[in-house]
Amino acid sequence: MGRELLPERRWLTVPAVRTVLGVIHNVTSATRLLDVLAVFEGDPRVRTVFTCTGSSALDGGVAEFAAEHGLFLIPWEEALAREFDLAVSTSRGGELEKIRAPVVGAPHGAGYNKKLSRNPESGIRNPESGGGVGSGDGAGAFGLSAEWLLHDGEVVPSAIVLSHEEQYARLGRHCPEAAPYAHVVGDPCADQLEASAPFREEYREALGVGPGRKLLLITSTWGGNSVLGASFDTVRRALAELPYDEYRVVAAVHPNAWYGHGGWQIRNWLEPALRAGLVLPPPAGQTWKAALCAADVFLGDHGSLSLYAAARGLPGLLAAFDPQAVAPDSPMAWLGERLPRLDPMRPLAAQLAGAVALPSAAARITSRPGRALALLRALCYRHLGLPEPESACVARPVPVPAVPLQAGTAGRGPAAPALYVDVRVAGREVRVRRYPAEPQRGGGPYLGPDPHVAAEAAEPDPRLRGLADVLVARPGADPAGVFARNPGCVLVAGPGRLVLRSGRQFTVPGGVDPGVAGSVLLAVLGEGLDPQGPFTVRVGGAASELRLGAVGAVASGGAVGAGGAVAAGEADAGFLDADAAQ
């Protein structure tokens, strides 16, 4: 085995008197384990070391997670050879009966909702909860059945942590021998989400959800019957069908999917959606919690995030659901009976408008709201034989993501996706709706009867750039060169200035998106209106006044945003012929 990694007490700086073993099965369980171990915060009497059972077929990323969070990780063999004062595990996989310490067993999701069997014919070695792998009619609820709690007829955990009274009733039916060891303490994740609720606007700002915009949260567990496994096109549909300025889309993907395929693979599969504006939180952080607090509606499946979203009062739809993987008398089964299914044939926006909220979902997540960490701490310190610290033990809000999460892969691609733009003019009112162009599959009625394309002048896809009537150039770019390289372009937009192919120019007020202003200019010229306005422009849920200042046509070339123009005398394409002749 080599040199043992756990140092002797004489080498330690802080003289802790108790040692706790944190038992990791995979990254999913590790994230919840850290939530539970918050009960020891600030107490120098207790030190915590960690180990990984090696029992999960999806335990990739554990070493990286431990390094990122500064966990002192020892080999499983060394952990079994030593005695500890307490062990805490947030899964039931692995040979927990061999640990030489009282074991506190807690769930790593929203209670105990999945059916799962240790049956070796399931094709997975001590599988973790989720996805339906190894599930079936004979499988018990993962964490509440005898096959997960007993070893040679003896109850393995010294304490079984439950979040709700209904779980105690199920435990009594499915493994009565374990009922005396059960403790209903509540759900620390649900409590943290409640503590985070006052910071909803901060989370929305960090996630790029501006005024008038909604956040759609897509939650996918792992396995073939999850959203990504059974309905992968849901993500593309969301980006294609929902107006770019009205919705921000976040996809929270289960860590087992990340580490079962590899992070590169997940990002590679979703890269077109990322370029179209998708936000994809990392699997091991807390951004998904911030997104859940910030969301307006969700698309989910039979994963715990769907229950947490419903418990927060969010209206939702199910894009996938595996009833065979769900315990029939669990809160997840209750959720699956009540939420409507996503219809692949109906417009997505209309279905989201009809999504269903379940006000009573919160009461099914926890029967000890706001008390989970306090009750967990009391339980753990009783086993440690120590008095509790005097400080309060309460759930803390989720940190606000440090920087806005940008779309696309860092350092690659344009700042914004190419967009189909539908502009409707009614007198002096102009409504603009934009849809990412790359995810489109033949379009749809949501695009309007005659949309045009607006893109960055640096858009790398020549097809999209060639379709664009409006190209947004970077500061200092020569619009003459942009027009020369893109014969289909009608208008070049830049900071503070719009340039038509005819040479006519218009100034744009500061703070106005030049791409939006360019699309409005094309539309009002097509209607034969005075382009100087003023116009009331509605984009997403916001309305603002737009006044364009006419500069006129100038014969010399120049830079966009620097007072220049393009060569005059060349007629604008299509419906701008009349404008060029003025």
Side-chain angles (χ1 to χ4, degrees), residues 91 130 317 346:
S91 181
L317 300 168
R346 291 179 55 218

Side-chain angles (χ1 to χ4, degrees), residues 105-125:
H108 63 250
Y112 301 87
N113 295 287
K114 303 291 179 66
K115 288 192 301 182
L116 200 64
S117 175
R118 289 185 187 268
N119 182 357
E121 296 180 359
S122 67
I124 187 168
R125 173 172 54 100

